[in-house]
PDB file of all heavy atoms in Angstrom:
ATOM      1  N   THR A 300    -188.343-149.317  81.793  1.00 98.00           N
ATOM      2  CA  THR A 300    -188.954-148.317  82.674  1.00 98.00           C
ATOM      3  C   THR A 300    -189.014-148.904  84.083  1.00 98.00           C
ATOM      4  O   THR A 300    -189.543-149.992  84.283  1.00 98.00           O
ATOM      5  CB  THR A 300    -190.367-147.968  82.168  1.00 98.00           C
ATOM      6  OG1 THR A 300    -190.259-147.521  80.814  1.00 98.00           O
ATOM      7  CG2 THR A 300    -190.996-146.861  82.999  1.00 98.00           C
ATOM      8  N   LYS A 301    -188.451-148.185  85.045  1.00 98.00           N
ATOM      9  CA  LYS A 301    -188.269-148.743  86.393  1.00 98.00           C
ATOM     10  C   LYS A 301    -189.310-148.240  87.387  1.00 98.00           C
ATOM     11  O   LYS A 301    -189.837-147.132  87.234  1.00 98.00           O
ATOM     12  CB  LYS A 301    -186.876-148.370  86.936  1.00 98.00           C
ATOM     13  CG  LYS A 301    -185.743-148.833  86.052  1.00 98.00           C
ATOM     14  CD  LYS A 301    -185.695-150.354  85.982  1.00 98.00           C
ATOM     15  CE  LYS A 301    -184.509-150.836  85.197  1.00 98.00           C
ATOM     16  NZ  LYS A 301    -184.859-151.837  84.203  1.00 98.00           N
ATOM     17  N   GLU A 302    -189.546-149.042  88.425  1.00 98.00           N
ATOM     18  CA  GLU A 302    -190.366-148.589  89.543  1.00 98.00           C
ATOM     19  C   GLU A 302    -189.447-148.310  90.729  1.00 98.00           C
ATOM     20  O   GLU A 302    -188.778-149.207  91.229  1.00 98.00           O
ATOM     21  CB  GLU A 302    -191.403-149.632  89.949  1.00 98.00           C
ATOM     22  CG  GLU A 302    -192.201-149.129  91.150  1.00 98.00           C
ATOM     23  CD  GLU A 302    -193.467-149.921  91.440  1.00 98.00           C
ATOM     24  OE1 GLU A 302    -193.626-151.014  90.870  1.00 98.00           O
ATOM     25  OE2 GLU A 302    -194.278-149.421  92.229  1.00 98.00           O
ATOM     26  N   GLY A 303    -189.425-147.043  91.134  1.00 98.00           N
ATOM     27  CA  GLY A 303    -188.663-146.674  92.330  1.00 98.00           C
ATOM     28  C   GLY A 303    -189.626-146.509  93.488  1.00 98.00           C
ATOM     29  O   GLY A 303    -189.944-147.457  94.195  1.00 98.00           O
ATOM     30  N   CYS A 304    -190.149-145.314  93.642  1.00 98.00           N
ATOM     31  CA  CYS A 304    -191.021-144.998  94.782  1.00 98.00           C
ATOM     32  C   CYS A 304    -192.445-145.502  94.589  1.00 98.00           C
ATOM     33  O   CYS A 304    -193.127-145.834  95.554  1.00 98.00           O
ATOM     34  CB  CYS A 304    -191.032-143.491  94.991  1.00 98.00           C
ATOM     35  SG  CYS A 304    -191.769-142.598  93.604  1.00 98.00           S
ATOM     36  N   GLY A 305    -192.922-145.511  93.342  1.00 98.00           N
ATOM     37  CA  GLY A 305    -194.309-145.924  93.082  1.00 98.00           C
ATOM     38  C   GLY A 305    -195.355-144.876  93.419  1.00 98.00           C
ATOM     39  O   GLY A 305    -196.551-145.133  93.325  1.00 98.00           O
ATOM     40  N   VAL A 306    -194.917-143.679  93.826  1.00 98.00           N
ATOM     41  CA  VAL A 306    -195.888-142.642  94.222  1.00 98.00           C
ATOM     42  C   VAL A 306    -195.609-141.283  93.573  1.00 98.00           C
ATOM     43  O   VAL A 306    -196.009-140.249  94.087  1.00 98.00           O
ATOM     44  CB  VAL A 306    -195.942-142.490  95.763  1.00 98.00           C
ATOM     45  CG1 VAL A 306    -196.535-143.723  96.403  1.00 98.00           C
ATOM     46  CG2 VAL A 306    -194.572-142.183  96.348  1.00 98.00           C
ATOM     47  N   GLY A 307    -194.894-141.275  92.442  1.00 98.00           N
ATOM     48  CA  GLY A 307    -194.727-140.020  91.716  1.00 98.00           C
ATOM     49  C   GLY A 307    -193.657-139.087  92.258  1.00 98.00           C
ATOM     50  O   GLY A 307    -193.706-137.889  91.989  1.00 98.00           O
ATOM     51  N   GLU A 308    -192.694-139.627  92.992  1.00 98.00           N
ATOM     52  CA  GLU A 308    -191.675-138.756  93.597  1.00 98.00           C
ATOM     53  C   GLU A 308    -190.291-138.858  92.969  1.00 98.00           C
ATOM     54  O   GLU A 308    -189.506-137.918  93.047  1.00 98.00           O
ATOM     55  CB  GLU A 308    -191.540-139.080  95.096  1.00 98.00           C
ATOM     56  CG  GLU A 308    -192.772-138.800  95.923  1.00 98.00           C
ATOM     57  CD  GLU A 308    -193.050-137.321  96.103  1.00 98.00           C
ATOM     58  OE1 GLU A 308    -192.142-136.506  95.863  1.00 98.00           O
ATOM     59  OE2 GLU A 308    -194.189-136.979  96.455  1.00 98.00           O
ATOM     60  N   CYS A 309    -189.946-140.005  92.358  1.00 98.00           N
ATOM     61  CA  CYS A 309    -188.530-140.221  91.985  1.00 98.00           C
ATOM     62  C   CYS A 309    -188.240-140.124  90.494  1.00 98.00           C
ATOM     63  O   CYS A 309    -187.094-139.956  90.102  1.00 98.00           O
ATOM     64  CB  CYS A 309    -188.051-141.578  92.502  1.00 98.00           C
ATOM     65  SG  CYS A 309    -188.696-142.991  91.562  1.00 98.00           S
ATOM     66  N   GLY A 310    -189.242-140.297  89.646  1.00 98.00           N
ATOM     67  CA  GLY A 310    -189.038-140.180  88.205  1.00 98.00           C
ATOM     68  C   GLY A 310    -188.419-141.394  87.528  1.00 98.00           C
ATOM     69  O   GLY A 310    -188.189-141.373  86.320  1.00 98.00           O
ATOM     70  N   ALA A 311    -188.176-142.475  88.276  1.00 98.00           N
ATOM     71  CA  ALA A 311    -187.575-143.674  87.658  1.00 98.00           C
ATOM     72  C   ALA A 311    -188.485-144.251  86.575  1.00 98.00           C
ATOM     73  O   ALA A 311    -188.022-144.929  85.657  1.00 98.00           O
ATOM     74  CB  ALA A 311    -187.303-144.735  88.727  1.00 98.00           C
ATOM     75  N   CYS A 312    -189.777-143.967  86.676  1.00 98.00           N
ATOM     76  CA  CYS A 312    -190.768-144.541  85.761  1.00 98.00           C
ATOM     77  C   CYS A 312    -191.146-143.574  84.641  1.00 98.00           C
ATOM     78  O   CYS A 312    -192.147-143.794  83.961  1.00 98.00           O
ATOM     79  CB  CYS A 312    -192.015-144.886  86.560  1.00 98.00           C
ATOM     80  SG  CYS A 312    -192.746-143.385  87.271  1.00 98.00           S
ATOM     81  N   SER A 313    -190.342-142.509  84.426  1.00 98.00           N
ATOM     82  CA  SER A 313    -190.711-141.464  83.454  1.00 98.00           C
ATOM     83  C   SER A 313    -190.777-142.003  82.027  1.00 98.00           C
ATOM     84  O   SER A 313    -189.865-142.703  81.573  1.00 98.00           O
ATOM     85  CB  SER A 313    -189.672-140.332  83.462  1.00 98.00           C
ATOM     86  OG  SER A 313    -189.560-139.772  84.741  1.00 98.00           O
ATOM     87  N   VAL A 314    -191.858-141.661  81.345  1.00 98.00           N
ATOM     88  CA  VAL A 314    -192.001-141.950  79.910  1.00 98.00           C
ATOM     89  C   VAL A 314    -192.662-140.728  79.271  1.00 98.00           C
ATOM     90  O   VAL A 314    -193.132-139.831  79.978  1.00 98.00           O
ATOM     91  CB  VAL A 314    -192.857-143.223  79.647  1.00 98.00           C
ATOM     92  CG1 VAL A 314    -192.215-144.460  80.260  1.00 98.00           C
ATOM     93  CG2 VAL A 314    -194.286-143.052  80.161  1.00 98.00           C
ATOM     94  N   LEU A 315    -192.701-140.716  77.951  1.00 98.00           N
ATOM     95  CA  LEU A 315    -193.382-139.629  77.250  1.00 98.00           C
ATOM     96  C   LEU A 315    -194.728-140.131  76.719  1.00 98.00           C
ATOM     97  O   LEU A 315    -194.793-141.204  76.112  1.00 98.00           O
ATOM     98  CB  LEU A 315    -192.537-139.116  76.084  1.00 98.00           C
ATOM     99  CG  LEU A 315    -191.171-138.521  76.440  1.00 98.00           C
ATOM    100  CD1 LEU A 315    -190.443-138.069  75.179  1.00 98.00           C
ATOM    101  CD2 LEU A 315    -191.319-137.355  77.394  1.00 98.00           C
ATOM    102  N   VAL A 316    -195.783-139.361  76.980  1.00 98.00           N
ATOM    103  CA  VAL A 316    -197.115-139.655  76.428  1.00 98.00           C
ATOM    104  C   VAL A 316    -197.504-138.439  75.595  1.00 98.00           C
ATOM    105  O   VAL A 316    -197.653-137.332  76.140  1.00 98.00           O
ATOM    106  CB  VAL A 316    -198.140-139.907  77.551  1.00 98.00           C
ATOM    107  CG1 VAL A 316    -199.536-140.107  76.950  1.00 98.00           C
ATOM    108  CG2 VAL A 316    -197.751-141.130  78.381  1.00 98.00           C
ATOM    109  N   ASP A 317    -197.624-138.652  74.290  1.00 98.00           N
ATOM    110  CA  ASP A 317    -197.846-137.528  73.366  1.00 98.00           C
ATOM    111  C   ASP A 317    -196.837-136.412  73.645  1.00 98.00           C
ATOM    112  O   ASP A 317    -197.182-135.215  73.713  1.00 98.00           O
ATOM    113  CB  ASP A 317    -199.282-137.000  73.443  1.00 98.00           C
ATOM    114  CG  ASP A 317    -200.245-137.833  72.604  1.00 98.00           C
ATOM    115  OD1 ASP A 317    -199.792-138.762  71.902  1.00 98.00           O
ATOM    116  OD2 ASP A 317    -201.461-137.554  72.644  1.00 98.00           O
ATOM    117  N   GLU A 318    -195.584-136.831  73.834  1.00 98.00           N
ATOM    118  CA  GLU A 318    -194.425-135.941  74.037  1.00 98.00           C
ATOM    119  C   GLU A 318    -194.438-135.198  75.375  1.00 98.00           C
ATOM    120  O   GLU A 318    -193.612-134.299  75.582  1.00 98.00           O
ATOM    121  CB  GLU A 318    -194.261-134.945  72.869  1.00 98.00           C
ATOM    122  CG  GLU A 318    -194.189-135.591  71.496  1.00 98.00           C
ATOM    123  CD  GLU A 318    -193.094-136.648  71.372  1.00 98.00           C
ATOM    124  OE1 GLU A 318    -192.094-136.578  72.098  1.00 98.00           O
ATOM    125  OE2 GLU A 318    -193.258-137.566  70.545  1.00 98.00           O
ATOM    126  N   VAL A 319    -195.342-135.557  76.266  1.00 98.00           N
ATOM    127  CA  VAL A 319    -195.348-134.958  77.604  1.00 98.00           C
ATOM    128  C   VAL A 319    -194.735-135.957  78.585  1.00 98.00           C
ATOM    129  O   VAL A 319    -195.098-137.142  78.584  1.00 98.00           O
ATOM    130  CB  VAL A 319    -196.789-134.604  78.051  1.00 98.00           C
ATOM    131  CG1 VAL A 319    -196.806-134.089  79.490  1.00 98.00           C
ATOM    132  CG2 VAL A 319    -197.400-133.580  77.099  1.00 98.00           C
ATOM    133  N   LEU A 320    -193.792-135.481  79.405  1.00 98.00           N
ATOM    134  CA  LEU A 320    -193.134-136.349  80.381  1.00 98.00           C
ATOM    135  C   LEU A 320    -194.108-136.670  81.511  1.00 98.00           C
ATOM    136  O   LEU A 320    -194.655-135.743  82.125  1.00 98.00           O
ATOM    137  CB  LEU A 320    -191.898-135.622  80.929  1.00 98.00           C
ATOM    138  CG  LEU A 320    -190.929-136.438  81.769  1.00 98.00           C
ATOM    139  CD1 LEU A 320    -190.220-137.500  80.932  1.00 98.00           C
ATOM    140  CD2 LEU A 320    -189.909-135.515  82.436  1.00 98.00           C
ATOM    141  N   VAL A 321    -194.311-137.960  81.776  1.00 98.00           N
ATOM    142  CA  VAL A 321    -195.217-138.336  82.869  1.00 98.00           C
ATOM    143  C   VAL A 321    -194.553-139.390  83.745  1.00 98.00           C
ATOM    144  O   VAL A 321    -193.686-140.136  83.304  1.00 98.00           O
ATOM    145  CB  VAL A 321    -196.582-138.889  82.359  1.00 98.00           C
ATOM    146  CG1 VAL A 321    -197.266-137.905  81.423  1.00 98.00           C
ATOM    147  CG2 VAL A 321    -196.439-140.254  81.715  1.00 98.00           C
ATOM    148  N   ASP A 322    -194.998-139.429  85.012  1.00 98.00           N
ATOM    149  CA  ASP A 322    -194.613-140.517  85.914  1.00 98.00           C
ATOM    150  C   ASP A 322    -195.590-141.657  85.678  1.00 98.00           C
ATOM    151  O   ASP A 322    -196.757-141.572  86.080  1.00 98.00           O
ATOM    152  CB  ASP A 322    -194.687-140.059  87.379  1.00 98.00           C
ATOM    153  CG  ASP A 322    -193.609-139.060  87.739  1.00 98.00           C
ATOM    154  OD1 ASP A 322    -192.515-139.129  87.159  1.00 98.00           O
ATOM    155  OD2 ASP A 322    -193.866-138.207  88.611  1.00 98.00           O
ATOM    156  N   SER A 323    -195.120-142.722  85.044  1.00 98.00           N
ATOM    157  CA  SER A 323    -196.059-143.771  84.628  1.00 98.00           C
ATOM    158  C   SER A 323    -196.619-144.558  85.808  1.00 98.00           C
ATOM    159  O   SER A 323    -197.621-145.253  85.658  1.00 98.00           O
ATOM    160  CB  SER A 323    -195.397-144.714  83.623  1.00 98.00           C
ATOM    161  OG  SER A 323    -194.283-145.368  84.180  1.00 98.00           O
ATOM    162  N   CYS A 324    -196.008-144.441  86.997  1.00 98.00           N
ATOM    163  CA  CYS A 324    -196.536-145.167  88.172  1.00 98.00           C
ATOM    164  C   CYS A 324    -197.824-144.549  88.686  1.00 98.00           C
ATOM    165  O   CYS A 324    -198.600-145.220  89.357  1.00 98.00           O
ATOM    166  CB  CYS A 324    -195.488-145.223  89.282  1.00 98.00           C
ATOM    167  SG  CYS A 324    -195.129-143.637  90.069  1.00 98.00           S
TER     168      CYS A 324
END
Side-chain angles (χ1 to χ4, degrees):
T300 304
K301 303 296 185 228
E302 178 166 13
C304 65
V306 292
E308 296 289 343
C309 74
C312 63
S313 302
V314 299
L315 298 179
V316 176
D317 278 356
E318 306 305 334
V319 175
L320 191 67
V321 305
D322 290 329
S323 62
C324 69

